[in-house]
Amino acid sequence: MKKTVTIYTDGACSGNPGDGGYCAILMYNGAEKIVSGSEKDTTNNRMELLAVINGLSALKEPCKAIIYSDSQYVVDAFNKNWITDWVLKGWKTAGKKPVKNVDLWEKLLTLTNVHEVTFV
């Protein structure tokens, strides 16, 4: 049986683009681990994505992960199946424009294939 880990994530920027940071708090069985980082000249959306990516990357084995994020960009991409559509359309939006942050979406998609992820 896979462990169930709760992950709280957030990312932010001072200016957009600007200096940004992210944090993920992983909670399992009373234990807590914090993963955080920062980048210069980045965007809020990139920081939100990095919070989730680095939170999932901190897991040492395949887990069930419940991710709490205030980023509708990230949550809706999975809960509304936008990411599936983007992949099928060659990383193009419904408006046929290139999806932003493809490098991070690809990393996140890989991680969601390792872990059973629920976005809240």
Side-chain angles (χ1 to χ4, degrees):
M1 175 177 264
K2 289 183 182 177
K3 296 176 181 174
T4 299
V5 178
T6 302
I7 305 175
Y8 296 92
T9 67
D10 201 7
C13 250
S14 180
N16 200 21
D19 293 345
Y22 65 86
C23 182
I25 302 171
L26 293 77
M27 300 177 75
Y28 172 73
N29 202 24
E32 185 178 290
K33 179 176 184 167
I34 297 174
V35 179
S36 63
S38 62
E39 288 188 0
K40 298 235 177 244
D41 196 33
T42 190
T43 65
N44 187 72
N45 285 340
R46 287 189 70 81
M47 292 297 94
E48 295 283 6
L49 282 163
L50 281 173
V52 177
I53 289 166
N54 287 301
L56 288 171
S57 294
L59 299 173
K60 295 181 186 307
E61 62 189 72
C63 295
K64 291 183 180 181
I66 302 168
I67 298 178
Y68 288 86
S69 172
D70 66 349
S71 172
Q72 288 306 122
Y73 178 62
V74 175
V75 173
D76 287 351
F78 288 92
N79 290 347
K80 295 185 176 182
N81 294 316
W82 295 348
I83 196 155
T84 303
D85 292 340
W86 294 339
V87 170
L88 291 173
K89 293 175 183 173
W91 292 103
K92 301 280 187 214
T93 65
K96 299 185 179 170
K97 294 182 179 178
V99 172
K100 294 179 181 176
N101 305 308
V102 171
D103 60 326
L104 298 181
W105 285 117
E106 288 176 331
K107 286 180 186 177
L108 183 51
L109 196 54
T110 298
L111 289 164
T112 62
N113 288 324
V114 172
H115 305 287
E116 186 179 320
V117 180
T118 302
F119 287 90
V120 180

